[in-house]
Amino acid sequence: PDILPLTPYLREIVWGGRRLQRFGKDLPPDVPIGEAFEVSALPGQECTAASGPLSGLGLREILHRYGQELVGAAVQARYGDNFPLLIKLIDAQDDLSIQVHPNDAYARAEGLGTFGKTEAWYVLHSDGARLALGLQDGTDEAALRRALTEARVEQAVLYQDVAVDDVILLQAGTVHALCRGVMVYEVQQSSDLTFR
């Protein structure tokens, strides 16, 4: 079909909430949902076709069956049977862990998968929220390691206030975290590799 409606994978997370209902998500009662995977071929977190002749099929199976008809010849030539994107809605009701994602070369060299994780956020909601985005000036690897062992890593991280319609590109290797009161639309590589 020309349009392939997908049923999102809803991820229960302790820092999640109920605000994804604003975006038409049918959330299970009394469960904190932090993420709605809108387009996902990750095993165990996969979207399925919501209706039509492919109803109930997972995105990986659809890609396997339709290949370049689904993603185009250039994407299939580059990525084969690996769907390259993961798209999410994220509702941070609390601060997330400070984290970093590897790049493709590191992920492959360490046998962690095909993709590292570069991502981009479009801010949908902000209660005067902030994000952790990189490290304070002068914080090198040694200083970050000291901050980690001394339980003062938050002092090494650079924070930035965000507002609705802000767009943030996070290259793999950037220390970052979503903070309480922000909702984002996230487009990223198809990877769940996270070092906290």
Side-chain angles (χ1 to χ4, degrees):
D2 291 336
I3 296 175
L4 183 63
L6 296 174
T7 299
Y9 172 82
L10 301 176
R11 190 174 190 182
E12 179 181 350
I13 300 179
V14 67
W15 47 258
R18 310 296 300 166
R19 291 187 300 197
L20 292 177
Q21 290 175 325
R22 296 181 192 172
F23 295 91
K25 304 302 164 208
D26 185 18
L27 304 183
D30 304 319
V31 175
I33 300 297
E35 299 176 321
F37 289 47
E38 298 295 297
V39 178
S40 173
L42 288 179
Q45 300 172 329
E46 188 174 8
C47 294
T48 57
S51 61
L54 304 177
S55 182
L57 285 180
L59 187 54
R60 286 182 299 149
E61 177 62 25
I62 295 168
L63 178 61
H64 177 73
R65 288 186 186 187
Y66 294 96
Q68 70 181 24
E69 290 177 70
L70 179 67
V71 296
V75 171
Q76 186 177 36
R78 182 170 179 182
Y79 299 106
D81 285 338
N82 295 305
F83 195 83
L85 294 176
L86 173 59
I87 300 174
K88 304 178 189 176
L89 290 170
I90 303 176
D91 175 14
Q93 291 290 313
D94 204 350
D95 293 348
L96 278 65
S97 60
I98 295 173
Q99 55 193 252
V100 67
H101 308 297
N103 63 21
D104 293 353
Y106 184 89
R108 291 176 186 143
E110 296 298 318
L112 300 172
T114 303
F115 301 116
K117 188 173 171 184
T118 290
E119 57 192 327
W121 294 332
Y122 176 77
V123 178
L124 299 168
H125 175 86
S126 174
D127 292 333
R130 64 183 187 156
L131 306 174
L133 292 171
L135 299 173
Q136 296 284 350
D137 285 340
T139 303
D140 60 9
E141 181 179 344
L144 181 58
R145 286 184 183 276
R146 277 193 309 276
L148 285 166
T149 60
E150 296 168 4
R152 54 177 186 80
V153 72
E154 286 191 357
Q155 296 172 9
V157 173
L158 181 65
Y159 289 90
Q160 178 176 320
D161 293 338
V162 291
V164 171
D165 295 331
D166 284 350
V167 177
I168 298 100
L169 173 63
L170 294 159
Q171 294 288 349
T174 303
V175 173
H176 67 280
L178 287 171
C179 297
R180 173 179 298 141
V182 68
M183 292 182 70
V184 298
Y185 182 80
E186 179 180 89
V187 179
Q188 63 168 78
Q189 289 179 278
S190 185
S191 169
D192 206 19
L193 292 176
T194 301
F195 300 115
R196 292 178 171 80

